[in-house]
Amino acid sequence: KVVAVIMVGGPTKGTRFRPLSLNIPKPLFPLAGYPMVHHPISACKRIPNLAQIYLIGFYEEREFSLYVSSISNELKVPVRYLREDKPHGSAGGIYNFRDLIMEEDPSHIFLLNCDVCSSFPLPEMLEAHKRYGGIGTILVVKVSAESANQFGELVSDPVTNELLHYTEKPETFVSDRINCGVYVFTPDIFTAIQGVSTQRKDRANLRRVSSFEAMQLDTRNIPTDYVRLDQDILSPLAGKKQLYIYETTHFWEQIKTPGMSLKCSVLYLSQFRHTTPHLLATGDGTKSAAIIGDVYIHPSAKVHPTAKIGPGVSISANARIGPGARLISCIILDGVEIKENAVVIHAIVGWKSSIGKWARVQASGDYNAKLGVTILGESVSVEDEVVVVNSIVLPHKTLNVGVQDEILL
Ligand code: GDD
């Protein structure tokens, strides 16, 4: 049997995701019409002999209960949310629930970060892992040399694929091959985490007798049960024939900012074209709006037949799109109203916001720039004919004059 664990973090994480994370836990923010965490969960469906999926985080139980029960029914695989009382770090989090995770007596455990966007080649990773042996295999991707320092950089053996060297977010360049935050482990991973935790406890005891020792330790302020997968486990195990890599050439992105969530929504829409085309709007029929490229429209949304939608557009529940509106590369959240002849390009329009007639909400579409995507928080009102360019607008604001390159608090 195999189990999968998805790390969802908690309310003190995901701060770069504001203002969108003010309304909803980041893992539930919709990309291509489905919660961020839904994409790795549905990828898990392809794992042979999958017995359970666990989400581990420190959000309140009730924030995930609805989603978890509906996805369990839909997938026919039990999905459970396990709440930590406090953050234990990415490895400490799974260690904390090791007894529960081991109940199914799994031969392998997948571990996935929830804030990455990928085609998640999980069955392929498992096959590779079985060939390599060792305690784990890491999904790896090549990125540009300039961006590599935002990730865990690693070096592997080109022939055996063994992980030889690992450094988390290094200051000087090590490699353009990076850790995707997707792993498959054998249950021996728990022994490795326990090793780190025990070592910490021993040092903490030592420190009580020697203040000199305390000065030597850079880990002195870290609680003994807080274990990071990258620094504390991957780095020391590199080069010991325990860890291997599986390199993907498919898409992979990290989702830390609202701008990146738009990029990933567009990526998932184009993946739907290949995997689940029935989820995309077709634009068939005389009463339908003109649909261009990959577009998701929730069944409860009302789109006027003279509107023109796409490519890269996702429209959530109960949104209303008026006559002649033009939408390109955007996420329209629940209950939004877009009035006649308004234009939305490279933008995220927050819950229950309204965009007036002939108004424009747009941005350059440079996903990595701070203001490359225009973001409107919840219940923002853009009045008729107002133009909003490259800006972030916090919830409940009314805009009656145009703005450009601004963050409106
Ligand atoms: N439950 C729980 N508890 N989840 C946590 C905790 C915790 O204490 N700490 C982090 N997480 C979750 C986050 O929500 C996220 O999904 C994942 O674990 C990793 O988060 P971070 O530890 O903050 O690392 P990161 O995202 O900056 O970088 C990691 O992922 C990159 C790929 O996206 C590293 O592993 C990098 O090496 C890697 O490149």
Side-chain angles (χ1 to χ4, degrees):
K1 278 190 207 162
V2 179
V3 299
V5 176
I6 302 176
M7 300 304 278
V8 298
T12 54
K13 304 208 53 113
T15 49
R16 278 175 281 172
F17 208 66
R18 286 177 191 157
L20 303 172
S21 53
L22 296 173
N23 289 71
I24 190 171
K26 175 176 133 177
L28 296 180
F29 184 79
L31 307 179
Y34 294 85
M36 185 182 294
V37 70
H38 186 89
H39 300 278
I41 289 179
S42 41
C44 288
K45 221 166 56 172
R46 291 180 51 235
I47 303 170
N49 304 316
L50 181 74
Q52 266 275 0
I53 301 175
Y54 296 105
L55 310 184
I56 299 183
F58 45 100
Y59 289 100
E60 295 291 331
E61 206 94 36
R62 62 181 156 75
E63 308 232 49
F64 282 88
S65 51
L66 209 69
Y67 174 69
V68 158
S69 66
S70 79
I71 187 69
S72 298
N73 287 335
E74 191 188 316
L75 285 192
K76 315 257 180 299
V77 173
V79 181
R80 265 184 81 176
Y81 176 64
L82 304 177
R83 181 172 189 264
E84 297 173 89
D85 51 351
K86 57 167 194 206
H88 291 87
S90 39
I94 55 162
Y95 186 72
N96 192 35
F97 293 108
R98 64 193 177 282
D99 295 340
L100 248 167
I101 294 169
M102 288 310 294
E103 258 177 18
E104 299 279 350
D105 196 22
S107 59
H108 294 90
I109 302 158
F110 275 91
L111 182 68
L112 293 84
N113 291 0
C114 79
D115 60 356
V116 298
C117 165
S118 167
S119 60
F120 298 106
L122 306 178
E124 295 81 355
M125 276 180 79
L126 183 59
E127 282 311 306
H129 175 74
K130 287 178 179 165
R131 286 197 304 276
Y132 302 149
I135 75 166
T137 294
I138 307 173
L139 187 68
V140 164
V141 74
K142 182 183 186 303
V143 297
S144 71
E146 306 77 63
S147 67
N149 64 355
Q150 307 163 37
F151 309 104
E153 296 184 16
L154 51 86
V155 179
S156 61
D157 185 310
V159 179
T160 64
N161 288 313
E162 187 197 341
L163 177 73
L164 297 176
H165 181 70
Y166 184 93
T167 353
E168 185 61 23
K169 306 182 181 94
E171 273 168 32
T172 47
F173 180 75
V174 174
S175 164
D176 58 1
R177 297 298 196 286
I178 62 110
N179 169 10
C180 292
V182 177
Y183 318 84
V184 58
F185 292 115
T186 66
D188 290 328
I189 187 63
F190 293 125
T191 320
I193 303 171
Q194 180 168 26
V196 173
S197 192
T198 314
Q199 214 176 27
R200 289 246 179 84
K201 281 189 192 119
D202 291 349
R203 286 191 194 169
N205 288 337
L206 249 174
R207 239 172 290 143
R208 275 186 217 116
V209 291
S210 155
S211 59
F212 176 74
E213 175 82 3
M215 279 158 34
Q216 304 295 300
L217 289 172
D218 58 15
T219 52
R220 58 185 172 272
N221 290 321
I222 301 179
T224 56
D225 58 354
Y226 190 90
V227 186
R228 300 158 301 184
L229 188 64
D230 23 51
Q231 287 103 313
D232 302 328
I233 306 289
L234 304 182
S235 289
L237 283 183
K240 296 198 171 127
K241 296 201 164 36
Q242 298 284 346
L243 296 174
Y244 293 83
I245 65 123
Y246 179 85
E247 187 165 331
T248 178
T249 49
H250 276 186
F251 66 96
W252 182 87
E253 299 290 344
Q254 192 185 43
I255 320 165
K256 294 293 182 195
T257 60
M260 283 309 294
S261 76
L262 177 55
K263 178 172 192 183
C264 294
S265 182
V266 173
L267 282 170
Y268 279 136
L269 286 169
S270 62
Q271 192 198 27
F272 284 176
R273 178 67 63 197
H274 302 286
T275 56
T276 47
H278 62 278
L279 298 178
L280 296 173
T282 57
D284 290 349
T286 47
K287 280 193 176 159
S288 157
I291 303 291
I292 299 154
D294 307 325
V295 170
Y296 169 85
I297 301 177
H298 190 275
S300 65
K302 289 201 170 53
V303 181
H304 194 273
T306 60
K308 201 167 171 185
I309 317 285
V313 173
S314 154
I315 301 177
S316 290
N318 304 311
R320 283 156 299 157
I321 315 297
R326 180 73 181 102
L327 272 53
I328 302 173
S329 172
C330 56
I331 298 176
I332 307 298
L333 294 162
D334 294 26
V336 164
E337 178 170 23
I338 295 181
K339 295 189 183 149
E340 56 201 73
N341 302 312
V343 174
V344 181
I345 304 175
H346 298 308
I348 299 177
V349 181
W351 306 266
K352 294 176 281 186
S353 288
S354 89
I355 308 219
K357 297 172 189 168
W358 297 99
R360 295 181 73 94
V361 173
Q362 62 187 66
S364 65
D366 175 359
Y367 300 111
N368 293 311
K370 185 154 197 210
L371 298 175
V373 170
T374 287
I375 316 286
L376 308 185
E378 181 190 9
S379 299
V380 167
S381 165
V382 176
E383 299 202 332
D384 293 352
E385 292 170 43
V386 167
V387 180
V388 184
V389 182
N390 296 341
S391 293
I392 297 175
V393 185
L394 267 72
H396 306 288
K397 292 214 69 90
T398 296
L399 301 184
N400 47 25
V401 290
V403 289
Q404 177 157 7
D405 304 317
E406 277 193 63
I407 299 178
L408 297 172
L409 302 170

